[in-house]
Amino acid sequence: MDDDEPEHREESEFISDEAMMHNLSAIDTCRSYLTIFAGVATGILGATGLRGLVLFLGSYLFISIGLLAKMRLDPEAYAKDKIHYFVFGNIGRYGLSFVLFWTLSYALVYIY
């Protein structure tokens, strides 16, 4: 039984770089589009100030939980990231897209 364990470990440690890059690209695309849609919805709802920030954090957390559910709560199998980094790791990058589309949609609906 001890002889089988090292073989099992070696199989589980093998990770295809192409598959990992595809997974990261799919996660990035999904988060980007959903963050943009959340920004547009926040702008259309007329949220300003802290209400918009709360909506961003809520939508980002909702997106992350949805992705984790799709990954069966094991992001390390798909992206080599721990759960806490997967949820909050790139929040600033997606926050910029959110703010851009939030302010654009708010300006188009309420100012012009």
Side-chain angles (χ1 to χ4, degrees):
M1 193 131 216
D2 292 332
D3 295 333
D4 292 335
E5 288 181 23
E7 290 177 17
H8 178 67
R9 286 186 198 151
E10 289 176 13
E11 281 183 27
S12 65
E13 291 177 10
F14 176 74
I15 298 173
S16 170
D17 288 336
E18 291 177 15
M20 187 68 65
M21 293 303 292
H22 173 73
N23 292 340
L24 290 173
S25 175
I27 291 168
D28 182 56
T29 301
C30 181
R31 273 198 174 150
S32 294
Y33 282 123
L34 291 175
T35 303
I36 289 169
F37 292 143
V40 169
T42 302
I44 290 172
L45 291 174
T48 58
L50 289 177
R51 185 178 296 161
L53 177 66
V54 168
L55 286 172
F56 165 66
L57 293 174
S59 66
Y60 190 80
L61 188 62
F62 181 75
I63 292 166
S64 295
I65 289 171
L67 288 171
L68 281 172
K70 186 71 174 169
M71 293 179 190
R72 296 183 182 104
L73 297 176
D74 188 19
E76 292 180 33
Y78 297 92
K80 284 189 174 180
D81 290 335
K82 303 286 185 198
I83 288 181
H84 60 81
Y85 181 78
F86 181 79
V87 174
F88 295 110
N90 292 323
I91 197 166
R93 182 174 152 214
Y94 298 106
L96 293 174
S97 296
F98 179 87
V99 169
L100 173 70
F101 284 92
W102 171 25
T103 56
L104 176 67
S105 62
Y106 181 85
L108 291 174
V109 172
Y110 293 100
I111 296 175
Y112 296 113

